[in-house]
Structure formats: structure tokens, C-alpha cells
């Protein structure tokens, strides 16, 4: 039996949840979160990632002409249902947990993203502002990719 070490979030109560309806398939979205970060989120050629529970990943994003490193581990992979990862950036200040759920809807997919374990309200609020933009980019890039 595989042992998965979850971060202790008990003394870090700040969390957020964002949702977005997507027009592409669950297969495409699951792939984007497990193998396709370089298509929609990460800076070109910066991704080191293997979609496997307990596997670590690294990538960088570019914002305001600066690169920002992101690190984490895969905690849970339920094909086309859920991806759960740890998330560490300068902005989180600690190992946080991002859970992405894929829910079939009549005309697409609802992504429900929960990000938990922030050390303070400011860090949470900054991510709460950023995640909708990130999901918008995901939707846009995946639609372009499958054309």
C-alpha cells in the first residue's frame, strides 16, 4: 500500500474555491492538469512533471517579465474526476493543497478548484484573484489546442 504524506493544514485555515464552466472535454482537461501544464500554464520548456501519485513536479510561470517557480507533489489522481496536488510558490509561503474536480455538465465540464492551507488572508486573497484568470487561460488554450 502506497503511503501519501499530506501536509498538515490544521494551523493554516485560509482557503478558497473557484469554479468555471469549460467547453472542452473532461479528457482534455484532465490531461492539461496532469501532463499538459506546458500548453496552458507554464513557461515554455520549464515543466518537469510525471503524473504519478507521490511524484514531484516543477514549473515556472512568467508574469511581469519575471519567472516564478512552482513546486509540488501529486497526492491523488482519479482519471477524469479529480487531481489533487501540493502547491508551493513564493506567494503561498508553505505547502498548500490544490484540489481540482471535473464535473460533467450538459454542454461541457465544470471545474471546481479548491486551494487550502494558506498561512494568511493576503496570500489567500492574491490566489483567489489569480485562479479565475488561470482557469480562463486553461479554457482558452485547450479550445485552441483541439481545433
Amino acid at each position: 500500500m502506497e503511503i501519501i504524506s499530506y501536509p498538515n493544514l490544521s494551523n493554516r485555515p485560509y482557503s478558497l474555491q473557484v469554479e468555471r464552466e469549460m467547453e472542452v472535454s473532461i479528457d482534455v482537461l484532465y490531461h492539461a492538469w496532469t501532463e499538459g501544464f506546458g500548453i496552458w500554464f507554464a513557461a515554455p520548456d520549464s515543466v518537469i512533471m510525471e503524473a504519478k501519485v507521490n511524484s514531484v513536479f516543477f514549473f515556472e510561470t512568467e508574469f511581469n517579465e519575471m519567472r516564478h517557480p512552482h513546486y509540488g507533489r501529486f497526492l491523488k489522481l482519479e482519471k477524469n474526476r479529480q487531481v489533487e496536488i501540493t502547491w508551493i510558490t513564493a506567494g503561498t509561503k508553505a505547502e498548500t493543497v490544490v484540489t481540482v474536480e471535473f464535473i460533467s455538465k450538459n454542454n461541457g465540464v465544470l471545474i471546481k478548484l479548491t486551494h487550502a492551507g494558506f498561512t494568511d488572508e493576503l496570500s489567500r486573497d492574491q490566489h483567489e484573484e489569480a485562479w479565475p484568470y488561470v482557469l480562463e487561460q486553461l479554457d482558452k488554450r485547450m479550445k485552441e489546442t483541439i481545433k
Side-chain angles (χ1 to χ4, degrees), residues 54-67:
N54 278 335
S55 180
V56 297
F57 64 82
F58 167 83
F59 66 93
E60 293 175 312
T61 58
E62 291 181 273
F63 183 71
N64 290 336
E65 299 182 18
M66 294 178 61
R67 287 206 170 207

Side-chain angles (χ1 to χ4, degrees), residues 42-117:
D45 301 319
S46 71
V47 180
I48 302 168
M49 180 179 283
E50 180 183 3
K52 185 175 163 189
V53 172
N54 278 335
S55 180
V56 297
F57 64 82
F58 167 83
F59 66 93
E60 293 175 312
T61 58
E62 291 181 273
F63 183 71
N64 290 336
E65 299 182 18
M66 294 178 61
R67 287 206 170 207
H68 303 275
H70 292 65
Y71 303 86
R73 300 177 288 120
F74 284 97
L75 298 174
K76 185 186 290 185
L77 294 166
E78 293 180 30
K79 186 158 177 71
N80 296 342
R81 293 190 63 224
Q82 185 180 72
V83 173
E84 189 169 58
I85 56 178
T86 64
W87 192 262
I88 305 169
T89 68
T92 61
K93 303 176 187 131
E95 188 178 43
T96 58
V97 175
V98 174
T99 305
V100 182
E101 298 173 75
F102 308 99
I103 303 161
S104 289
K105 298 295 255 183
N106 291 339
N107 297 326
V109 178
L110 175 70
I111 283 191
K112 186 185 293 187
L113 183 145
T114 304
H115 194 162

Side-chain angles (χ1 to χ4, degrees), residues 124-142:
R124 188 249 347 254
D125 292 349
Q126 290 170 336
H127 283 79
E128 193 165 37
E129 191 175 304
W131 277 120
Y133 173 75
V134 171
L135 294 180
E136 179 183 332
Q137 289 303 303
L138 169 62
D139 196 23
K140 180 181 174 186
R141 296 278 161 75
M142 293 302 99

